């Protein structure tokens, strides 16, 4: 299976994405670019400002158009 990650936010969000990436690799997933076809799209976001909220929604919409499971995580 293929999984793609997109990270918005602080260093904590990037660290969390790095950990998730490592765990999914260990489980046998192929990590692909967010613009590529994947079975699962994970958006890790911090939605503290209006700008970050807007960017998060844009990435969620993009992932939904590509198909697959879309997951939103973060703060």
């Amino acid at each position: 299976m293929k999984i793609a990650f997109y990270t918005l936010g602080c260093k904590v969000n990037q660290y969390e994405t790095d950990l998730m990436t490592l765990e999914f690799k260990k489980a046998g997933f192929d990590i692909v670019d967010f613009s590529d076809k994947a079975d699962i799209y994970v958006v890790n976001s911090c939605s503290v400002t209006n700008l970050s909220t807007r960017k998060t929604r844009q990435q969620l919409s993009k992932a939904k158009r590509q198909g697959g499971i879309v997951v939103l995580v973060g703060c």
Side-chain angles (χ1 to χ4, degrees), residues 4 7 9 12 14 20 22 29 44 52 56 67 69:
T7 305
V12 173
Q14 186 59 56
M20 285 187 280
L22 181 63
F29 282 77
N44 185 3
S52 61
T56 299
I69 297 168

Side-chain angles (χ1 to χ4, degrees), residues 1-54:
M1 290 191 66
K2 296 179 182 178
I3 188 167
F5 294 91
Y6 190 89
T7 305
L8 293 161
C10 65
K11 290 180 181 181
V12 173
N13 289 72
Q14 186 59 56
Y15 175 75
E16 290 171 341
T17 297
D18 291 345
L19 284 177
M20 285 187 280
T21 300
L22 181 63
E23 291 300 317
F24 277 97
K25 279 183 183 178
K26 286 180 185 177
F29 282 77
D30 292 325
I31 311 301
V32 298
D33 190 76
F34 200 77
S35 62
D36 293 341
K37 180 70 177 158
D39 300 296
I40 303 170
Y41 296 90
V42 178
V43 178
N44 185 3
S45 178
C46 178
S47 202
V48 174
T49 66
N50 286 337
L51 178 60
S52 61
T53 299
R54 184 167 43 96

